Amino acid sequence: MREKFLKGIPVSSGIGIGKVFLYKRDLPHVPERVINEDEILKEISRFRSVINKVEKELSDLYQKVREEMGSDIADLIEFQILLLKDEEILSRVEKFIQEKKWDGAFSYYRVIQDYRESLANSSLPFIRERETDIADCAYRVLRSLLGDEKTFLSNWHTTEDVILFAFDLTPTEVAILNKEKVRGIALGRGGKSGHVAIMAKAKEIPAVDGIWDLMRDEYQNRTAILDGKRGVVIINPNEKRIAQYQREIAEEKKMKSIYLMERESECVTRDGKYIDISANIEFIGEVEKAKEYGAKGIGLFRTEYLFFSRRRIPSEEEQLFFYEEVAKKMKPYPVIIRTFDLGGDKVIPGYTELNPFLGWRGIRIFLEKRELLRTQIRAIMRAGAEHKNLKIMFPMISTLEEVQEIKREISQVKAELEAKGIPFDPEVELGIMIETPSSALLAEKIAPLVSFFSIGSNDLTQYTLACARDNERVSYLYDPLHPTVIRLYKETIAAARKYGIWVGACGEIASEVLGIVLLVGLGIDELSMVPAKIPEAKRIIRQLEWRKTQEWSEKALSLATAKGVRRFLIREIRKNLPDLAEGLNE
């Protein structure tokens, strides 16, 4: 077999090399078996015993994940426990056993198939994930009822490095993976905001998604390279290719050890410009990783993942617990909590619209559902009472009126908490995401009302250039270094300077060499990124001269194309900072 390239979507960065292991979690064939009248009660009891057994397995796994990765990630498994104990399903199974005299396995199989058929073809990712969760529960229950548990992924052990191929995986399956042996995960479906992507990143396992033709028997036991940075899986790579990737892995390990030795060093340019470096996180468990890599704060805590793990809006007390945990773990450094950014690619269950990125999204949802907004504001302010290091950031702002409305809601929440004698932090800073062209152009009007801006370059780029970043047909247009987008960065930073507030950036550009050089030159105060990229960002900044980057940024603003900007910056870096030029291509 010759080298074969499978293209997908990068969802967890890193490179892995190993033998392909095809994991197929198809429900087993369950033959119809009729039982005698006098066996009915015994069969119902056996069925209930199996449900209790599987519940114990999932509960043990929940505790393991809670200890290793945090309670918020563990909630993904708690959701499966709730599915397992769904009384509607269990009652229908027992009804089939009693009325049709089918055994427990066939009765359960028939009930589950009905549910799966209604969910599997949904166009909504949330509904499809629910179908996957149901399938995982059903797989465990049926294998136990049939006395065949050897095919559980949890019972699978390997002594060699593997690349796990699967059409999809569930939270319980990802949770038990040993990252020392599972060097990568290749999936048919899931998505960047799906639970597999979330947990793979938390476990630091490289992953690629969206490879629809990956479950071929001919791939089994073949050597494969999974490149989670570029979204590629290479089957049967030649020796030259393997050697190339092995060198890249070795270089990454070497650089990581160097970076980690320097993680506590100050992030200052050679001519004295200080830049705050913070981490983007989605789960409590990532706080320790952020500190390990040298983050001096959390620049973006994506709270919508508290929603995804439950498939519902968490209560005020649930939110309070999570925000207090993050504040306590990160103290004395600041934590910026972004309010729920639902909509767009983060689909709301049961709700569809023709163009979700331009529709009911972010702050628009919560200005319509005011109590949800107040609940989150209350939880954040209460969580800040003791540690005094929390800030609130609102997403998807496009008008001045939205900011004014938010300010009124905050004043109302403060008054309510004070009237009830509930402790809270009245000095919590308010900031907004600059991720729409209108918010950038209005920055000078908005700045007096807030304490900080954070540039979300990913959305700002796609809204400015009118191209979805995940649409392959127009992805060539997407470039956060396009001159029009750079002008919006400049407008935002200039407005912040005029009114004495600070400005950060938390999109992908904040961790890339060219983006860092450009933003530092424009006068950015803070850069926030995934924890693993922090040490390299610090190394880049410590080699820069702020004065020189200012000249480069001014020149970039005068250019007409993104290609021209990239070519200019790369040439200047090669000439002045050759150590940073590796891997940069014009």
Side-chain angles (χ1 to χ4, degrees), residues 45-315:
S45 177
R46 186 174 80 90
F47 171 68
R48 285 287 182 174
S49 294
V50 167
I51 294 296
N52 291 336
K53 174 176 174 291
V54 174
E55 182 184 359
K56 173 67 165 55
E57 292 171 356
L58 291 176
S59 296
D60 290 345
L61 188 57
Y62 171 85
Q63 291 300 328
K64 178 176 181 288
V65 173
R66 185 184 176 93
E67 292 169 7
E68 292 180 0
M69 292 189 282
S71 56
D72 40 3
I73 297 182
D75 284 340
L76 293 166
I77 295 169
E78 185 176 41
F79 180 73
Q80 285 200 298
I81 296 173
L82 294 175
L83 282 175
L84 177 72
K85 297 170 66 178
D86 187 303
E87 275 302 324
E88 183 180 349
I89 293 176
L90 300 182
S91 296
R92 284 192 65 195
V93 172
E94 292 185 11
K95 186 176 180 180
F96 280 178
I97 296 173
Q98 290 174 325
E99 295 181 359
K100 297 185 179 294
K101 297 185 176 61
W102 289 334
D103 70 348
F106 190 70
S107 297
Y108 188 72
Y109 175 78
R110 285 295 299 269
V111 171
I112 290 301
Q113 284 297 84
D114 288 346
Y115 275 86
R116 292 188 72 200
E117 286 172 11
S118 66
L119 300 175
N121 296 321
S122 173
S123 61
L124 295 176
F126 259 103
I127 301 301
R128 291 201 306 269
E129 282 192 12
R130 181 181 173 91
E131 185 271 333
T132 302
D133 288 329
I134 290 174
D136 184 46
C137 288
Y139 187 79
R140 288 173 172 273
V141 171
L142 288 173
R143 287 297 182 190
S144 294
L145 284 168
L146 295 170
D148 175 18
E149 300 179 27
K150 64 180 182 297
T151 52
F152 285 177
L153 192 56
S154 55
N155 294 335
W156 167 68
H157 301 284
T158 179
T159 57
E160 58 182 353
D161 293 346
V162 301
I163 305 296
L164 181 64
F165 277 36
F167 183 65
D168 59 23
L169 292 173
T170 66
T172 60
E173 291 168 333
V174 181
I176 53 87
L177 296 180
N178 177 3
K179 72 176 185 179
E180 300 304 320
K181 292 299 178 184
V182 178
R183 296 298 183 177
I185 302 171
L187 297 172
R189 73 177 187 191
K192 285 190 174 183
S193 62
H195 55 243
V196 174
I198 293 165
M199 296 185 76
K201 283 186 281 188
K203 291 176 77 77
E204 295 189 313
I205 300 176
V208 176
D209 180 35
I211 306 174
W212 287 92
D213 191 31
L214 84 168
M215 298 305 290
R216 292 189 176 190
D217 290 338
E218 64 191 273
Y219 297 157
Q220 185 77 282
N221 293 321
R222 296 276 187 180
T223 297
I225 298 171
L226 185 141
D227 187 337
K229 294 190 296 184
R230 302 174 181 92
V232 174
V233 177
I234 307 168
I235 308 290
N236 211 39
N238 58 44
E239 291 184 7
K240 183 178 179 181
R241 184 93 54 196
I242 292 173
Q244 170 194 335
Y245 270 98
Q246 285 175 332
R247 286 194 297 271
E248 190 168 341
I249 292 170
E251 183 63 21
E252 283 188 356
K253 287 182 178 177
K254 176 185 172 183
M255 294 308 295
K256 181 180 177 180
S257 64
I258 293 173
Y259 298 159
L260 291 178
M261 286 169 56
E262 301 175 353
R263 66 180 180 269
E264 296 303 325
S265 302
E266 289 296 316
C267 190
V268 184
T269 64
R270 290 165 62 185
D271 49 352
K273 168 70 172 175
Y274 181 82
I275 306 292
D276 275 317
I277 298 292
S278 303
N280 298 341
I281 68 167
E282 295 156 0
F283 293 102
I284 294 173
E286 293 178 285
V287 172
E288 293 305 322
K289 190 65 64 177
K291 290 162 68 176
E292 176 189 339
Y293 282 111
K296 299 300 182 183
I298 301 299
L300 173 62
F301 179 15
R302 298 184 176 99
T303 57
E304 54 271 16
Y305 289 97
L306 301 178
F307 170 83
F308 291 155
S309 65
R310 290 165 176 74
R311 276 57 165 191
R312 62 171 175 79
I313 297 290
S315 69

Side-chain angles (χ1 to χ4, degrees), residues 379-422:
I380 296 170
M381 288 190 159
R382 289 174 60 195
E386 180 180 352
H387 304 294
K388 309 290 186 186
N389 63 335
L390 297 184
K391 306 175 191 292
I392 309 177
M393 181 164 68
F394 295 91
M396 197 57 188
I397 298 295
S398 53
T399 70
L400 178 67
E401 291 87 346
E402 288 169 336
V403 181
Q404 292 169 334
E405 281 296 309
I406 290 166
K407 297 269 288 186
R408 280 192 282 271
E409 290 295 335
I410 289 175
S411 295
Q412 184 177 331
V413 168
K414 286 181 178 180
E416 290 173 358
L417 291 172
E418 191 169 356
K420 293 178 181 178
I422 298 173

Side-chain angles (χ1 to χ4, degrees), residues 269-271 541 543-550 577:
T269 64
R270 290 165 62 185
D271 49 352
I541 289 167
Q543 295 188 54
L544 300 179
E545 286 186 23
W546 186 35
R547 178 188 55 79
K548 185 73 71 176
T549 62
Q550 287 178 296
L577 301 163

Side-chain angles (χ1 to χ4, degrees), residues 31 41 166 174 208 212 214 251 281 325 355 379 454 466 486 549 558 572 584:
L41 293 180
V174 181
V208 176
W212 287 92
L214 84 168
E251 183 63 21
I281 68 167
E325 280 291 295
N355 195 337
S454 184
I486 296 174
T549 62
S558 71
E572 291 300 321
L584 295 179

